[in-house]
Amino acid sequence: MSSFINKFSKNLTRPLFAVMFMALLAGCASVDSDPGSRTLGSVIDDQSIEATVAANIRKVDPALQGANVVVTSYNGTVLLSGQAPNEDLRAQAAHAAASVKNVKRVYNELAVGPNAELAVRSSDTLLTAKVKSRLLAAKGIKDSRVKVVTENGSVFLMGLVTQAEGDIAGKITQETSGVQRVVRIFEYVD
């Protein structure tokens, strides 16, 4: 029975790698035709950056292990949002993020203070959903290019966009009920 399983898994592995390779090539091809799209490799890099930065921040100081630090990466640009216990730990978190491989730039939007209440976090989640749905319905912008992160009523917009798309996304976000502040962290492709 084990020889059957070994033979079956070897036969399954080759097609799986072929499909992954083709997807990677397709992602690379789309970059030429659309400068605002990301390859599968850059998406995976961002996921790796987020995990590594979060782990490194937790290692900085025991006080940061329980802090509400949210790490978001888009095309190597890192946004730190949430709360840090004090200004020194806020700065140390940014330094830990900047030292991670493939990080191009760090935006440290950590507030100094206690972790946000559950009600605030829930409100932020709802606000993110409202902004995303409005971007999805908008003309003149590909919503898939814009990542939306909300923290305490402040909405951070990240992505690879044209100047016109960035302006549209910013305007739509600003006009969304409940948004207190809009911060554009775009990488412009035009």
Side-chain angles (χ1 to χ4, degrees):
M1 181 69 157
S2 71
S3 66
F4 171 75
I5 292 173
N6 287 338
K7 191 175 190 178
F8 178 74
S9 65
K10 285 180 184 176
N11 289 337
L12 185 61
T13 305
R14 287 185 188 134
L16 181 62
F17 281 121
V19 168
M20 289 173 54
F21 183 71
M22 294 304 285
L24 185 61
L25 287 178
C28 292
S30 68
V31 171
D32 294 334
S33 61
D34 183 2
S37 64
R38 297 187 302 159
T39 64
L40 178 61
S42 65
V43 172
I44 292 169
D45 283 349
D46 283 328
Q47 292 171 345
S48 174
I49 286 170
E50 289 175 0
T52 304
V53 168
N56 287 355
I57 287 173
R58 285 191 299 274
K59 291 177 189 174
V60 167
D61 189 284
L64 283 172
Q65 290 178 6
N68 176 38
V69 177
V70 179
V71 180
T72 308
S73 179
Y74 196 99
N75 208 41
T77 298
V78 173
L79 168 66
L80 300 179
S81 59
Q83 297 78 37
N86 59 53
E87 184 59 43
D88 183 49
L89 291 176
R90 177 184 182 276
Q92 287 183 46
H95 180 71
S99 66
V100 172
K101 182 182 175 188
N102 295 328
V103 170
K104 297 176 188 174
R105 186 164 186 189
V106 176
Y107 289 88
N108 189 356
E109 292 289 333
L110 289 169
V112 174
N115 289 348
E117 301 285 328
L118 180 60
V120 172
R121 289 187 195 178
S122 297
S123 176
D124 287 341
T125 300
L126 179 61
L127 196 51
T128 296
K130 283 172 43 176
V131 170
K132 284 182 177 182
S133 67
R134 293 194 69 212
L135 290 175
L136 180 64
K139 292 184 182 192
I141 184 170
K142 289 184 179 179
D143 70 300
S144 61
R145 292 186 185 192
V146 180
K147 190 167 209 168
V148 180
V149 178
T150 307
E151 187 63 49
N152 201 23
S154 293
V155 179
F156 303 92
L157 303 174
M158 304 176 77
L160 293 169
V161 297
T162 64
Q163 185 69 49
E165 288 173 325
D167 291 344
I168 292 168
K171 185 175 190 289
I172 288 169
T173 303
Q174 189 63 55
E175 292 172 350
T176 302
S177 174
V179 172
Q180 296 175 16
R181 177 174 78 127
V182 178
V183 179
R184 298 181 196 189
I185 308 176
F186 289 131
E187 187 175 331
Y188 294 104
V189 295
D190 55 358

